[in-house]
Amino acid sequence: MSSDPIFVDLSDSKPSEIESLCMKCGQNGTTSILLSKIPHFKEIIIMAFECPHCGFRNNELQSAGVFNERGHTISLSVQNKEDMNRQLVKSDYCSVKFLELDLEIPANNNRGLLTTVEGLVDNAIDDLSAGQPLRKVQDENVYNRIEEIISIMNGYKEGNPFTLVLDDPSGNSYVENKCLPAQDPQIKVRWYTRTPEQQAFLGLQENDQTPAEEAVDRVIRSSTASEMLNAKGLPEVMSFPANCPSCNAPCSTNMHLMEIPHFKEVVIMATNCDHCGYKSNEVKAGGPISDKGTRITLKITDAEDLSRDILKSETCGLSIPEINLELTHGTLGGRFTTVEGLLRQVHSELRDRAPFIEGDSGTDSSKDRWARFLDNLTKVADGKLMPVTLIIDDPLSNSYLQNLYAPDPDPEMKIETYERSWEENENLGINDMKLDNYEEEHKASVKHEADAQAEKTD
């Protein structure tokens, strides 16, 4: 039995070719299938069909990896013709919306795309144009309206500005960042928790619980946790089954509830895969939602500062202005480590997962800029590039940086609190929370539905 991996790097792989039927002319064409890996998306399946008889060509992309824990929306502000060349990955479960036109292309379970913004616009124009001759006969008003939309979209290809929104509950779509390693001001990414309907759409469980929550419930019911109990009567360490994020093999995740001095209660989860050796840890903050956000600024001046404990929550953003490092809120999830450890994790994630940089699509200047950035990040982690400023911005105040002078103030660290904006509360789901008089509103809603049902019966 061969030990060669099924999925290989793009540079090391050759496509397999099979004969298949052309759906346009009915003759036989050739489908090339490539099982490969690209940054960020791990394993993918790329399929390209070409018919030598009629010239018809088509390509599709399917994700062969695992779903992200959360879905996301990506908003791209296209400002000129150059932005039309941005590469993007649209997964099988991603819907596309042209905001100004209020035009939405629903998700297609059978078609993922690896293309450019212009290619996506071309596909939309082709789909709209397909039934126009028949519409002109059946309903001329609809025909004229669609012709107007097609005309506007052709203007997009010439450089007219518009906003493109990708909504992917699987979290496996991507738009090229032209400003790496800095954040692209034209791209906004918002992560969200999937609804039960989206879970069912992805083929996951149809109830309200996530797989991790179900596993924790099973562990608690079956008493398979540690026999040691803490002061609150909970097991010191609980273990529940999971799948390795790297190789997808079955593994176990340990969970521990702990109290951080001068901070709050947190939940630490650690995953260790015996199959491939993958290790990771993640931190979830406990307790109520803070009224204000917190911004912590640390001046790193010596190697001792790199050994400070740091708790980076899943809602925390991180930046080092001196080397143009900026991580948006939610990047890397929750982490409990040291400053040095966090910087090395950032380096590893960016090196392995940044798409469209190291491949054939990357330009020499972007590759050089990327290499210099990673080198500077390594120097900071090694203590060779100082002083630098580390800024931790957490709108939920769930992040922590060790104060070496506690309980006295730290001269190298500045802690600020601020009022969250409406947009931040909206992204965090706080605007939809109602804590006062919700029972009365629920009773009124139930009564209204009952009255409406009674009227229909009468």
Side-chain angles (χ1 to χ4, degrees), residues 42-151:
K42 297 183 182 178
E43 296 83 8
I44 61 167
I45 302 174
I46 303 175
M47 294 176 289
F49 174 80
E50 184 173 3
C51 178
H53 304 284
C54 66
F56 176 70
R57 303 177 66 183
N58 186 30
N59 68 82
E60 292 186 13
L61 178 144
Q62 293 183 4
S63 174
V66 298
F67 295 135
N68 273 305
E69 291 185 0
R70 295 183 294 170
H72 65 188
T73 58
I74 305 174
S75 300
L76 170 65
S77 176
V78 180
Q79 299 177 355
N80 49 51
K81 197 170 183 179
E82 184 179 352
D83 288 332
M84 299 295 289
N85 296 325
R86 289 178 184 257
Q87 298 187 71
L88 61 85
V89 175
K90 172 188 170 296
S91 79
D92 304 345
Y93 307 96
C94 178
S95 62
V96 180
K97 186 172 184 178
F98 297 89
L99 210 57
E100 288 77 8
L101 290 174
D102 197 21
L103 172 66
E104 182 171 355
I105 303 173
N108 185 340
N109 282 354
N110 300 317
R111 191 177 186 188
L113 289 175
L114 174 59
T115 181
T116 62
V117 175
E118 184 175 4
L120 196 63
V121 173
D122 281 333
N123 288 341
I125 292 175
D126 292 342
D127 291 342
L128 290 172
S129 302
Q132 281 297 81
L134 184 61
R135 293 190 193 98
K136 188 173 184 180
V137 176
Q138 294 179 340
D139 194 332
E140 192 168 354
N141 290 331
V142 174
Y143 167 82
N144 292 333
R145 176 57 183 151
I146 293 179
E147 282 296 313
E148 292 178 8
I149 295 175
I150 293 175
S151 176

Side-chain angles (χ1 to χ4, degrees), residues 259-306:
E259 187 87 21
I260 296 181
H262 310 290
F263 189 54
K264 60 172 66 174
E265 190 177 70
V266 297
V267 179
I268 298 180
M269 294 183 290
T271 301
N272 187 3
C273 179
D274 296 330
H275 183 74
C276 69
Y278 174 84
K279 294 181 179 181
S280 72
N281 68 77
E282 188 171 356
V283 178
K284 303 283 187 181
I289 296 177
S290 300
D291 294 333
K292 297 181 179 181
T294 299
R295 184 179 297 106
I296 305 175
T297 303
L298 172 67
K299 196 72 172 179
I300 300 177
T301 57
D302 54 42
E304 189 177 7
D305 290 326
L306 295 173

Side-chain angles (χ1 to χ4, degrees), residues 8 51 160:
V8 296
C51 178
N160 293 341

Side-chain angles (χ1 to χ4, degrees), residues 58 105 140 155 157 159 174 260 285 326 338 391 419:
N58 186 30
I105 303 173
E140 192 168 354
K157 295 169 60 178
Y174 209 94
I260 296 181
E326 184 172 359
T338 62
I391 302 174
E419 295 286 346

